[in-house]
Amino acid sequence: MKKSLPLFCLFFFLCFTAFSQKNILGIHINTRIPTGDFKSEVGSMFFPSISVNGLFQLPKTPIYFGGEMGYSRYGTMMTRSNNVINGTDQSFRIRRNNNAVYLTGVVRVMPQTSFWVKPFIEGQFGGIHAYTRSRVRENRISEPISSGTELADWSTIYQLGGGILIPIEKGKATFIELRVNYVNTGNMNILTKNDAHYNDQGNVTLSSRNTAFQLIQPSIAVKFAF
């Protein structure tokens, strides 16, 4: 299922490309800002995110369909322990990263205007996978001696927002896109960077929490129309 969904979306996009009037592809650099109940769970912090977006225009309409795939990290924590391997007092680095990947379908309305820039509104709906992985190393640059996923969960995700598409040169096919979306998900069991607790013997207790992601997501992107 995890592999078939991206392949299906790619097939869907390629099939409709032949019938579209204009295609738009691009890479987004996003900043995710927690809001609502999610802010009280994780605190005031920014989450970096990167995503790839592809759209095709329905002929003779201002409507675009497509998809977006993204990755974000919503917290990281490094600790040291000398109880990783029994019988040795060597200290090891334990890095724990909290990650999320998502895949959504996109519907965008971007009418033609007399302005140089192109305003738009859009909605997205799809799935999100949140997971926490840990790696144990002797030092920063050494290969991990142990790694694994400690917690993972799935849920739905939707985004609502809008922005503007700005041509880099008038009449050209390269654009800068500025966008702000509101992001919300269903509840998931997740870990934050403060949810791993170590006792005096170096044993870890993970205290998961059940919450939804609620975020404001400004982004900047480079887009190519063809």
Side-chain angles (χ1 to χ4, degrees), residues 150-172:
E150 296 177 323
L151 184 69
D153 204 355
W154 290 86
S155 188
T156 56
I157 180 174
Y158 72 84
Q159 302 188 44
L160 297 172
I164 55 174
L165 207 61
I166 307 169
I168 293 180
E169 295 182 54
K170 194 172 183 178
K172 299 298 182 180

Side-chain angles (χ1 to χ4, degrees), residues 27-93:
I27 299 176
H28 288 258
I29 303 298
N30 313 299
T31 299
R32 296 183 147 191
I33 306 169
T35 186
D37 294 337
F38 188 54
K39 183 177 179 180
S40 65
E41 294 283 354
V42 301
S44 298
M45 60 185 302
F46 298 147
F47 303 148
S49 172
I50 186 169
S51 58
V52 179
N53 178 289
L55 300 168
F56 60 86
Q57 182 183 13
L58 293 184
K60 300 179 181 180
T61 75
I63 301 173
Y64 292 73
F65 286 98
E68 184 164 318
M69 180 182 296
Y71 165 81
S72 67
R73 178 171 293 175
Y74 63 94
T76 183
M77 179 67 74
M78 194 279 291
T79 56
R80 288 186 175 275
S81 175
N82 57 0
N83 290 280
V84 174
I85 300 177
N86 293 333
T88 178
D89 290 330
Q90 182 177 352
S91 178
F92 290 88
R93 291 169 51 92

Side-chain angles (χ1 to χ4, degrees), residues 152-217:
D153 204 355
W154 290 86
S155 188
T156 56
I157 180 174
Y158 72 84
Q159 302 188 44
L160 297 172
I164 55 174
L165 207 61
I166 307 169
I168 293 180
E169 295 182 54
K170 194 172 183 178
K172 299 298 182 180
T174 305
F175 301 84
I176 296 295
E177 182 178 297
L178 304 178
R179 184 183 71 178
V180 178
N181 281 354
Y182 172 70
V183 182
N184 199 0
T185 75
N187 279 33
M188 293 180 289
N189 293 313
I190 67 167
L191 296 170
T192 72
K193 68 177 184 178
N194 298 317
D195 292 338
H197 308 284
Y198 290 84
N199 61 21
D200 294 340
Q201 287 73 45
N203 298 317
V204 63
T205 299
L206 301 176
S207 303
S208 65
R209 59 188 75 199
N210 186 266
T211 186
F213 284 21
Q214 297 168 319
L215 305 154
I216 301 296
Q217 180 175 272

